[in-house]
Amino acid sequence: MRMLLPLRLVLVAASLLLATTTANIHLHLHSDSAKHFAISERQQAIAGIEASLLSLLGFAKRPKPQGQAYVPESLKKLFVKQNTIGMADIAKPGIHARSANTVRSFSHVESEVDHKFQSPNRFRLSFDLSSIPSGEKLQAAELSLSRVPILNEDDSNSKLGRILIYDILRPGARGHSAPLLRLIDSKPLNTRKNGTISVDVHPAVERWIKDPKNNHGLLVHVRGTKQEHVRLRRNANERNDTWVVNRPMLFTYTDDGRYKMSSASQIMDRRARRAALRKNRRKDGRENCRRHPLYVDFADVGWNDWIVAPPGYDAFYCHGDCPFPLADHLNSTNHAIVQNLVYSTKPSMVPKACCVPTALSSISMLYLDEENKVVLKNYQDMSVLGCGCR
């Protein structure tokens, strides 16, 4: 399985840690065996393990973000949900993300053009999407906008408004030509409500990715009120910590092509295995093939400056004997049963069946990229759910 090699590397790190306690940077992993290495060999091994883990997570090198970044509340909630369901595919109501496993957040890039818009209900939003890898496929994109309720209007006035989102195909030139716009989404608004509103901007973002030079941003127009209802721009005296919570955010949902989309049967099988683990978990000290604890702590390798959450995760590993005859609870295949049968009569012909992961689940990670943009990414086959003799 894909995870066998990374997990073996992690187990080597555990052995290194148990051998010496002199180094400050290490992988904080728990395993049952240890080997002694010289300090130079130990440092080289740790560097190799770090490189292997970065490769496993899809990074060519370690991200080094500058300073802290605000994590949108919607990404925090999605992170918790994804870790609960244990799927690599993004599952968010209202978004048809298909096989997407990565969510990136983008805020408006301020420029001199902003000052040309005087009305609080008409504004151009610009987003720099250069940090999206060329190999990722866009599956969905949404613009999230916060609102402030308008409660002081006369009851006789309509409280209904409408927001219109345009893709700017060609910017206008004052005194020469009007901008060329394409309407991509429109939604009704209740101006007395303050809930966040999300609009579909997939067509615009897809065009920008294909043709970055013609990314002229989005024109947002709010109709039905003269007062500010949708937060499009920062107020003159607004504090930064207040604005980062209320500013417009663009979210892209992409598929990096590393994993296959889970089928309904696979999802149900994972849920059944998790339920069985909770039901049958026990500590009887047997050395037969079973799952053992293995915790990977990101802080101990100095990754906590760019990995926002989780601080670490339970990877687990499989270890134990596959005795003859193989019992049902050892989750073995017919091939493993036959192999152990042959091994019991002619040990020199074939090796004994091995204890390996038979079911793996996904984990979600929130991290900062090189440009301090917040990314939510799901990684498949990162945590062992079940072990068996194969």
Side-chain angles (χ1 to χ4, degrees), residues 133-302:
S134 58
E136 293 190 4
K137 183 178 180 181
L138 182 71
Q139 300 290 0
E142 66 172 342
L143 178 65
S144 180
L145 302 166
S146 60
R147 297 187 290 167
V148 290
I150 301 176
L151 304 176
N152 58 352
E153 287 189 340
D154 193 331
D155 290 339
S156 61
N157 294 333
S158 173
K159 62 181 180 180
L160 295 179
R162 179 167 287 275
I163 185 170
L164 298 101
I165 310 294
Y166 298 92
D167 178 14
I168 304 175
L169 302 178
R170 185 187 64 205
R174 178 170 292 186
H176 295 280
S177 62
L180 181 61
L181 308 175
R182 176 177 63 160
L183 180 66
I184 56 176
D185 201 3
S186 174
K187 282 188 176 182
L189 296 173
N190 185 333
T191 59
R192 298 185 182 182
K193 301 290 185 180
N194 65 348
T196 300
I197 183 171
S198 296
V199 289
D200 183 11
V201 293
H202 184 196
V205 175
E206 188 172 45
R207 185 180 70 83
W208 299 343
I209 292 176
K210 292 179 180 178
D211 188 10
K213 292 183 180 179
N214 284 311
N215 175 2
H216 305 297
L218 300 170
L219 179 64
V220 183
H221 188 193
V222 180
R223 293 178 178 176
T225 179
K226 294 182 179 180
Q227 301 181 50
E228 182 185 43
H229 174 56
V230 179
R231 296 300 315 275
L232 298 177
R233 61 191 305 169
R234 183 174 180 171
N235 296 328
N237 299 321
E238 187 170 10
R239 292 172 47 183
N240 185 65
D241 58 348
T242 303
W243 173 236
V244 295
V245 177
N246 296 304
R247 64 185 175 182
M249 293 296 297
L250 172 68
F251 296 101
T252 62
Y253 300 78
T254 58
D255 180 3
D256 62 11
R258 290 163 61 95
Y259 312 118
K260 294 182 179 180
M261 192 171 182
S262 298
S263 64
S265 60
Q266 289 173 325
I267 296 171
M268 295 302 295
D269 183 59
R270 281 197 295 265
R271 291 177 178 174
R273 289 182 183 277
R274 283 196 294 269
L277 285 172
R278 289 192 296 268
K279 181 178 179 181
N280 300 322
R281 190 177 290 122
R282 57 186 180 182
K283 298 179 180 179
D284 54 12
R286 292 189 301 175
E287 291 301 320
N288 281 345
C289 177
R290 64 182 180 89
R291 189 178 74 161
H292 296 260
L294 173 62
Y295 184 76
V296 179
D297 193 330
F298 296 132
D300 283 348
V301 284

Side-chain angles (χ1 to χ4, degrees), residues 92-168:
K92 184 178 180 182
I95 291 293
H96 184 45
R98 294 177 283 271
S99 60
N101 61 0
T102 306
V103 186
R104 286 184 169 83
S105 61
F106 302 88
S107 58
H108 167 63
V109 179
E110 298 180 350
S111 70
E112 293 298 324
V113 179
D114 297 354
H115 302 297
K116 296 180 180 180
F117 295 88
Q118 301 300 319
S119 170
N121 295 317
R122 185 179 174 87
F123 193 66
R124 188 210 68 156
L125 294 173
S126 177
F127 302 97
D128 180 9
L129 306 183
S130 60
S131 62
I132 299 179
S134 58
E136 293 190 4
K137 183 178 180 181
L138 182 71
Q139 300 290 0
E142 66 172 342
L143 178 65
S144 180
L145 302 166
S146 60
R147 297 187 290 167
V148 290
I150 301 176
L151 304 176
N152 58 352
E153 287 189 340
D154 193 331
D155 290 339
S156 61
N157 294 333
S158 173
K159 62 181 180 180
L160 295 179
R162 179 167 287 275
I163 185 170
L164 298 101
I165 310 294
Y166 298 92
D167 178 14
I168 304 175

Side-chain angles (χ1 to χ4, degrees), residues 71-82:
V71 181
E73 193 63 30
S74 59
L75 277 190
K76 292 180 181 179
K77 292 180 180 179
L78 187 57
F79 165 76
V80 173
K81 181 177 181 179
Q82 291 295 143

